[in-house]
Amino acid sequence: MLNTDIAMGLARVTEAAALCSAKFMGRGDKIAADQAAVDGMEKAFGMMPVRGTVVIGEGELDEAPMLYIGQEVGIGEENMPEMDIAVDPLDGTTLIAKGLPNAVAVVAMGPKGSLFHAPDMYMKKIAVGPGAKGAIDINKSPKENIISVAKALNKDVTELTVIVQERERHSYIVDAAREVGARVKLFGEGDVAAAIACGFENTGIDIFMGTGGAPEGVIAAAAIKCLGGEMQAKLEPHTDEERERCRAMGIDDVDRVLLINDLVKHDDVYFAATGITDCDLLRGVIYSKNDWATTHTVVMRSKTGTIRFVEAHHDLNRSSLIVK
């Protein structure tokens, strides 16, 4: 089996989720949009040449009928590799419901045991691209990290762009960035798209900081690893129940810093993302006449450092990706 079969298979998986959910853009129904993405992604996984197990998905079996944690996906023949799979069929449900940017369909995949089994709770994260690798420390202040990254990139701090989710809990990051004169880009939702944008120079984004979902953090870490960047994280359980959930998942020290090799433990992982609405890195789904649609996808592999941008044109009447 060729590794390009796996890479392009993942592209079809995220394309399917995007094509099925994009028609709900701006229609105010985030539940329907999310369900459509899940339906499309699960169908496409049925054609993947792997024996996959969902380790980060839509929830536990009793919470999600499809793409639940523990679900087996892929063709599943004995000669096919066993893979951990992390999915977010629609990262940014509110975004698509409102017709806003940054909604994407994302998948990360690696050999069995390679992806951190993140509990569904908050995680503090900081990420940079390859140019600033070694310049971040999650235990240091935002101000110290911003100055350090600016030096690593040989930029004046006034030229550095920090991307951060617009939440009250992040006001200390925004205040610190403004104090040192850095540029700040705020986003509403979709922190996977925001995190991976800092790995590409042409986005103009240099550093991602903030607290968001832990499962999304693992997916973003797979992308950052493929890009040769750096990410650090710390779980932030807020209740005794969440701390117990960590212990039940084998996480004894919830306060330790999780480095990228803790989040993604293998050097051969894959990542794919397809834009649903426009974002910094990818255009969203575009519909044209006669039932055609265009998707824009990025597919990456950490072992080879290969990054593919795929523009695909789909005949919606004939596409096997579409769930009717």
Side-chain angles (χ1 to χ4, degrees), residues 29-109:
D29 192 344
K30 65 181 183 180
I31 295 174
D34 189 47
Q35 187 60 59
V38 171
D39 292 342
M41 182 171 280
E42 186 189 48
K43 181 179 180 182
F45 261 126
M47 296 179 276
M48 278 290 294
V50 298
R51 287 182 291 158
T53 301
V54 176
V55 298
I56 292 175
E58 293 293 282
E60 305 290 348
L61 176 57
D62 58 350
E63 299 171 357
M66 290 190 293
L67 296 180
Y68 56 84
I69 297 169
Q71 181 177 345
E72 295 181 357
V73 296
I75 295 173
E77 294 179 0
E78 282 297 319
N79 63 332
M80 294 177 177
E82 292 186 84
M83 293 286 191
D84 279 358
I85 295 173
V87 304
D88 197 341
L90 173 49
D91 181 38
T93 55
T94 299
L95 298 177
I96 193 170
K98 294 183 177 181
L100 295 172
N102 263 17
V104 293
V106 293
V107 170
M109 185 170 72

Side-chain angles (χ1 to χ4, degrees), residues 102-184:
N102 263 17
V104 293
V106 293
V107 170
M109 185 170 72
K112 184 177 181 180
S114 61
L115 299 181
F116 181 72
H117 294 197
D120 190 7
M121 63 181 60
Y122 277 121
M123 173 186 275
K124 184 179 180 182
K125 317 164 199 175
I126 181 169
V128 291
K133 192 173 182 178
I136 58 173
D137 184 341
I138 199 168
N139 286 324
K140 290 186 176 179
S141 68
K143 181 178 178 180
E144 290 173 300
N145 277 300
I146 290 167
I147 292 171
S148 178
V149 169
K151 288 180 180 177
L153 296 175
N154 197 26
K155 285 187 174 185
D156 188 272
V157 72
T158 60
E159 300 169 343
L160 193 84
T161 302
V162 182
I163 192 165
V164 59
Q165 191 175 24
E166 189 176 13
R167 296 289 187 271
E168 186 176 345
R169 64 179 179 269
H170 295 145
S171 59
Y172 76 102
I173 298 173
V174 175
D175 291 345
R178 290 172 176 170
E179 183 182 342
V180 297
R183 289 154 41 97
V184 177

Side-chain angles (χ1 to χ4, degrees), residues 232-297:
Q232 297 178 12
K234 291 179 77 172
L235 290 171
E236 291 198 341
H238 291 155
T239 65
D240 289 340
E241 183 180 352
E242 288 185 343
R243 287 184 175 275
E244 182 55 39
R245 172 76 167 149
C246 289
R247 285 189 286 269
M249 295 179 72
I251 306 167
D252 296 323
D253 184 3
V254 297
D255 298 315
R256 76 183 181 99
V257 174
L258 298 166
L259 304 178
I260 196 161
N261 287 334
D262 298 313
L263 298 168
V264 182
K265 302 169 189 176
H266 201 278
D267 290 331
D268 193 8
V269 295
Y270 298 83
F271 172 87
T274 300
I276 301 175
T277 60
D278 289 349
C279 58
D280 290 300
L281 187 63
L282 299 164
R283 295 193 70 185
V285 176
I286 300 169
Y287 293 102
S288 52
K289 61 184 179 181
N290 299 324
D291 286 324
W292 281 80
T294 302
T295 56
H296 298 86
T297 301

